[in-house]
């Protein structure tokens, strides 16, 4: 080139951008409450205004606190760790957390009813079993809730045949439902 002979060889490389860069954003999950629907958080990842593509620019992994893969996004789970890991032109990983909480038995869509509010003495045992529903769905005893019985003093009720002042039926949520 001109008065010079030989050549100089220079090199450079283009490196992946970090998902932790200040101009890269990852949407945040919201906690959910069990309602029988799937609550799988799907992150939106942007580099500035450009929306990145899942499985091309990043991969998403879902695990629990023990590091085991999560595949059930319907039932209650205390903590879901969402790992968004850069791929291709992006690197590093961002971890996000959310949970699917148990539904409260006090929720407006839940109801518990007894077949009667009063039983006349006839010498037979009358241990009334409540029907518990979530909307139209009838819940299952010992899966979704437990039942206990107390007398007027608060002690466990044991006599379901003789005259009593009152028997309280206590329904406690378990599994997907909480108290």
């Amino acid at each position: 080139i001109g008065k010079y002979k030989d050549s100089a060889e220079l090199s450079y490389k283009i490196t992946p951008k970090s998902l932790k860069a200040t101009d890269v954003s990852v949407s945040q999950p919201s906690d959910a409450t069990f309602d029988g629907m799937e609550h799988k958080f799907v992150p939106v990842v942007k580099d500035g205004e450009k929306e990145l593509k899942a499985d091309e620019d990043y991969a998403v992994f879902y695990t629990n606190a023990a590091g085991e893969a999560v595949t059930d996004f319907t039932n209650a789970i205390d903590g879901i760790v969402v790992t968004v890991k850069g791929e291709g032109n992006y690197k590093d990983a961002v971890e996000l957390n959310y949970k699917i909480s148990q539904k409260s038995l006090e929720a407006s869509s839940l109801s518990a009813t007894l077949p009667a509010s009063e039983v006349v003495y006839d010498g037979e045992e009358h241990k009334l079993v409540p029907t518990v529903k979530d909307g139209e769905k009838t819940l299952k005893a010992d899966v979704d809730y437990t039942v206990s019985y107390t007398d007027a003093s608060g002690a466990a009720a044991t006599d379901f045949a003789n005259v009593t002042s009152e028997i309280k039926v206590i329904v406690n949520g378990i599994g997907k439902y909480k108290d």
Side-chain angles (χ1 to χ4, degrees):
I1 303 179
K3 300 178 189 174
Y4 301 97
K5 69 177 198 173
D6 293 331
S7 63
E9 194 171 295
L10 305 170
S11 67
Y12 70 97
K13 62 182 178 178
I14 300 173
T15 60
K17 184 175 189 176
S18 175
L19 289 181
K20 295 178 180 181
T22 57
D23 58 340
V24 175
S25 64
V26 180
S27 63
Q28 297 294 310
S30 297
D31 290 343
T33 300
F34 170 78
D35 60 5
M37 304 296 291
E38 183 175 82
H39 293 281
K40 183 176 184 179
F41 170 70
V42 178
V44 174
V45 183
K46 290 185 174 182
D47 183 352
E49 294 298 313
K50 176 187 170 194
E51 189 168 324
L52 303 184
K53 295 179 181 169
D55 300 322
E56 184 178 313
D57 297 317
Y58 64 92
V60 181
F61 304 96
Y62 302 87
T63 56
N64 60 21
E68 302 163 328
V70 172
T71 57
D72 179 0
F73 298 94
T74 302
N75 293 305
I77 184 168
D78 260 349
I80 299 172
V81 179
V82 182
T83 303
V84 181
K85 184 177 181 293
E87 292 186 339
N89 291 322
Y90 295 88
K91 67 177 183 175
D92 296 327
V94 176
E95 283 191 354
L96 311 163
N97 297 283
Y98 76 107
K99 65 183 174 182
I100 303 170
S101 301
Q102 295 172 308
K103 188 171 193 174
S104 171
L105 280 178
E106 296 175 1
S108 62
S109 64
L110 293 165
S111 64
T113 57
L114 290 170
S117 61
E118 186 174 284
V119 177
V120 175
Y121 173 79
D122 62 4
E124 300 291 321
E125 182 173 277
H126 294 282
K127 188 174 184 178
L128 301 182
V129 178
T131 299
V132 182
K133 290 186 170 191
D134 182 356
E136 295 298 314
K137 178 185 176 190
T138 301
L139 303 184
K140 295 178 183 173
D142 300 321
V143 172
D144 299 314
Y145 66 93
T146 60
V147 179
S148 59
Y149 301 84
T150 61
D151 60 23
S153 72
T158 56
D159 184 357
F160 298 96
N162 294 303
V163 175
T164 62
S165 60
E166 180 179 66
I167 296 174
K168 288 189 180 186
V169 181
I170 300 150
V171 178
N172 289 303
I174 59 174
K176 304 169 198 155
Y177 299 89
K178 64 179 181 179
D179 301 289

